[in-house]
Amino acid sequence: MSGVTVLDGGFATQLSVHVGKSIDGDPLWSARFNATNPNAVFRTHLDFLEAGAGAIMTNTYQASIEGYGEYLHLNEDASLNLIKSTVRVAQMARTRFLAARASTDQPRAIPLLVASIGPYGAHLHDGSEYTGSYASTVSPDTIQKWHRPRIEACLEAGVDVLGIETIPCKMEAAALFDLMCEEYPSVRFWISFQCKDNLHLANGELFSETVNSLWARARSRRNKTLLALGVNCVHPQIVTPLFKSVNELKAPEARIPLIVYPNSGEIYTVEEGWQGKEDCVPLEHYVPQWVELGARFIGGCCRTYARDIQRIKQAVETIAENSHQ
């Protein structure tokens, strides 16, 4: 896979355009709308595709058997069926998008369909996906057992890639890496981390050491399905130093392929919600430095809309054009 793939943006952020209310604070977050308003989910995917995304992620980050059981009163089979139908909504959006473009002469690559696989901590609804505090109390086997049904439901419904995202600790990343290599060896995936500053994962481990060790393990196992390692749901200002810590001293051919889809730069508090929009540097301004450091997938997370993805897409295309001159 060459070049840079543009990802979609903050799903709940863009979804709010269609459902007309804030989604923050709901224990199921945007995953509630898979049951209550799948048409809005469909339209949100379409927004990102029309903005130029080369990959869209299913609305399954916060979807789990436990969460759907507690907050929608669904049994295990119904929960898994809802996850599968959520994948199919994304498939339908991609089909609709491609059909609309079929009448044009411009050739287009088929956008990737990526299953959003959020961290174990997301279903706890205690903020631990931003701390990784469960790394010392939950076993790797428990982590794998929790993730496995959702992964299998997404694969059964039909996705191209697993986007393992917002992972706060090395233990969970290693458990999921082992699960992918041992049980799903032909499935492409990425792992992106939640970081607390420009050096460390949310749980305190060094980002550079974690990424280098996982990539080395992939190479030693001759794994070709790990597409990239990186960060998401972080402040964009910390991305460049994090990427420098991994790739700056490596020769170009030895650089690890990286992925980044940060927040807008706004700060969230429970008391005041999102603040600081006027101080944000538009994400497209960071794109050249991220590409220079090895980013192969670039998109947005919280508080990024389809219009932000459109501008990222334009920045990526400009870099591609300049490199061919």
Side-chain angles (χ1 to χ4, degrees):
M1 186 175 293
S2 61
V4 175
T5 299
V6 176
L7 308 175
D8 58 9
F11 197 89
T13 302
Q14 187 64 29
L15 179 66
S16 68
V17 172
H18 298 292
V19 299
K21 56 184 168 182
S22 174
I23 298 163
D24 300 317
D26 188 308
L28 288 177
W29 203 32
S30 60
R32 181 179 298 277
F33 293 88
N34 297 330
T36 62
N37 196 342
N39 185 54
V41 173
F42 172 86
R43 288 155 66 197
T44 301
H45 285 309
L46 211 49
D47 290 343
F48 286 127
L49 289 166
E50 291 171 347
I56 56 169
M57 299 189 74
T58 59
N59 188 32
T60 50
Y61 175 89
Q62 198 89 351
S64 68
I65 294 169
E66 292 85 348
Y68 280 153
E70 184 171 355
Y71 299 107
L72 291 182
H73 311 296
L74 300 180
N75 63 25
E76 181 171 338
D77 284 346
S79 296
L80 292 173
N81 284 333
L82 181 54
I83 290 170
K84 291 174 188 175
S85 70
T86 301
V87 172
R88 288 191 283 271
V89 168
Q91 290 170 340
M92 289 189 293
R94 181 173 65 175
T95 299
R96 170 77 65 86
F97 171 75
L98 290 171
R101 294 295 183 273
S103 58
T104 68
D105 295 330
Q106 186 178 2
R108 274 183 186 270
I110 297 175
L112 292 172
L113 191 62
V114 183
S116 170
I117 305 297
Y120 177 86
H123 88 285
L124 301 176
H125 198 56
D126 61 359
S128 58
E129 71 265 42
Y130 299 108
T131 66
S133 57
Y134 52 88
S136 58
T137 59
V138 178
S139 70
D141 183 63
T142 297
I143 291 284
Q144 291 180 343
K145 185 177 180 180
W146 182 81
H147 278 286
R148 192 178 283 112
R150 177 176 53 174
I151 287 174
E152 292 187 350
C154 288
L155 291 175
E156 190 176 318
V159 295
D160 303 313
V161 176
L162 293 188
I164 297 168
E165 57 178 349
T166 330
I167 302 300
C169 52
K170 184 177 180 179
M171 182 277 287
E172 185 168 14
L176 283 162
F177 174 82
D178 289 341
L179 181 69
M180 295 304 299
C181 290
E182 292 163 11
E183 298 185 27
Y184 313 105
S186 64
V187 176
R188 294 178 293 170
F189 68 104
W190 72 60
I191 301 176
S192 63
F193 292 94
Q194 168 64 214
C195 293
K196 66 178 182 178
D197 57 32
N198 59 12
L199 287 175
H200 301 93
L201 305 187
N203 195 45
E205 300 101 336
L206 278 173
F207 175 76
S208 58
E209 191 279 327
T210 303
V211 167
N212 281 317
S213 66
L214 280 171
W215 192 251
R217 287 181 63 194
R219 298 284 71 80
S220 69
R221 297 172 80 150
R222 296 182 179 172
N223 172 282
K224 302 290 187 184
T225 57
L226 176 58
L227 300 180
L229 295 159
V231 292
N232 75 288
C233 203
V234 297
H235 195 290
Q237 286 183 347
I238 71 172
V239 175
T240 295
L242 284 164
F243 281 8
K244 282 184 175 179
S245 74
V246 171
N247 273 345
E248 189 172 34
L249 299 180
K250 291 184 174 73
E253 65 275 9
R255 287 187 164 181
I256 295 171
L258 299 174
I259 183 167
V260 51
Y261 44 117
N263 298 335
S264 65
E266 295 166 68
I267 306 299
Y268 180 78
T269 62
V270 174
E271 298 77 24
E272 298 181 346
W274 292 98
Q275 300 290 321
K277 184 176 183 179
E278 64 281 358
D279 300 322
C280 293
V281 176
L283 292 184
E284 65 269 19
H285 288 252
Y286 295 99
V287 168
Q289 55 194 269
W290 294 342
V291 172
E292 178 68 24
L293 287 166
R296 294 294 169 260
F297 298 85
I298 302 176
C301 203
C302 297
R303 300 296 290 170
T304 61
Y305 291 86
R307 60 179 178 267
D308 298 300
I309 298 308
Q310 189 169 19
R311 292 196 290 263
I312 290 171
K313 176 76 169 180
Q314 290 167 348
V316 167
E317 288 177 340
T318 298
I319 292 169
E321 289 167 4
N322 291 340
S323 69
H324 289 135
Q325 291 177 356

